[in-house]
Amino acid sequence: MTTVYLIGNWKQHGSRASIAAFASQWSFEGHEQLAVAIAPPFPYIGELGATLPDCLLAAQDCSIQEQGAHTGEVSAGMLADVGCRFVLVGHSERRVHHGETDELIGRKLAAVQAAGLTPVLCVGEDSAMRQAGEQNHAVRGQLRGALSGMASSVLIAYEPVWAIGTGLTATPDQVNDMHAVIKAEVNAVLGGDSDVPVLYGGSVNPETAPALLGCPHVDGALVGGASLDPGAFADIARSALNSLSY
Ligand code: PGA
């Protein structure tokens, strides 16, 4: 059975009040072939789970350590303990602002899988790479750097850095072409026909979602800004559902 994934990344936004407001306005009938998840900041994971039981829980990052004297860190096991299903790893904001390397991201991915959760590995080229025509090479390198030796229980999110939070969305052709490159590379790295779902992220909104989610190689979306708005996020969820019939 095909599953489409829609994951909201709230980044460093939210409060108890905004979660209550979101829940009161959220009206979306769930569907067994659509997995809708939200990744709030760590302190709100429990609150979100209690307030919005229809949504799956995700986290934005995790530690490579299981436990110990690591001030400020949160382990994948703790995230599993509070009900998370997915953990983002290697988001470009963490690569750029926190110096995360492919090697570290690979270790986080392994930690997430070891805790029984599904990592969402974020990859994507910046605008200089795209302008130089090096986007395929860059993304293949990120995949190889983090995925080697991993199990196939992983989601990939293709998020061109130049499209994140900028209002610039990659065209459906750019996205579909890159997703085909990603699927081929993931099969080469993980071996065989691993059938790993590939989500698109980067300024997805209710207007751009239908065409992007309608692309044959697109298996869902990772949504930042628009996921803070329950009306917009539900519209995108409807587009995700419609894409199942293409
Ligand atoms: P955006 O963010 O939808 O606001 O562009 C996407 C992301 O960073 O995951």
Side-chain angles (χ1 to χ4, degrees), residues 36-52:
V36 179
I38 292 177
F42 288 135
Y44 298 119
I45 290 173
E47 181 102 12
L48 189 72
T51 315
L52 212 62

Side-chain angles (χ1 to χ4, degrees), residues 9 11 88 91-93 159 163-167 201-204 222-226:
N9 175 11
K11 308 190 179 184
L88 307 185
H91 190 281
S92 65
E93 286 155 14
E159 297 207 303
I164 295 178
T166 58
S203 298
V204 176
L222 177 57
V223 182

Side-chain angles (χ1 to χ4, degrees), residues 4-87:
V4 181
Y5 298 85
L6 176 62
I7 303 180
N9 175 11
W10 281 3
K11 308 190 179 184
Q12 198 180 350
H13 296 287
S15 63
R16 299 184 73 191
S18 73
I19 289 171
F22 188 100
S24 72
Q25 293 165 46
W26 175 247
S27 68
F28 177 72
E29 201 63 33
H31 188 282
E32 56 174 354
Q33 283 174 272
L34 174 64
V36 179
I38 292 177
F42 288 135
Y44 298 119
I45 290 173
E47 181 102 12
L48 189 72
T51 315
L52 212 62
D54 291 349
C55 274
L56 301 170
L57 295 172
Q60 299 175 19
D61 185 32
C62 74
S63 167
I64 56 172
Q65 313 286 348
E66 279 180 40
Q67 60 178 5
H70 309 292
T71 302
E73 295 283 63
V74 173
S75 72
M78 293 170 185
L79 296 171
D81 194 31
V82 297
C84 280
R85 291 272 296 275
F86 304 99
V87 183

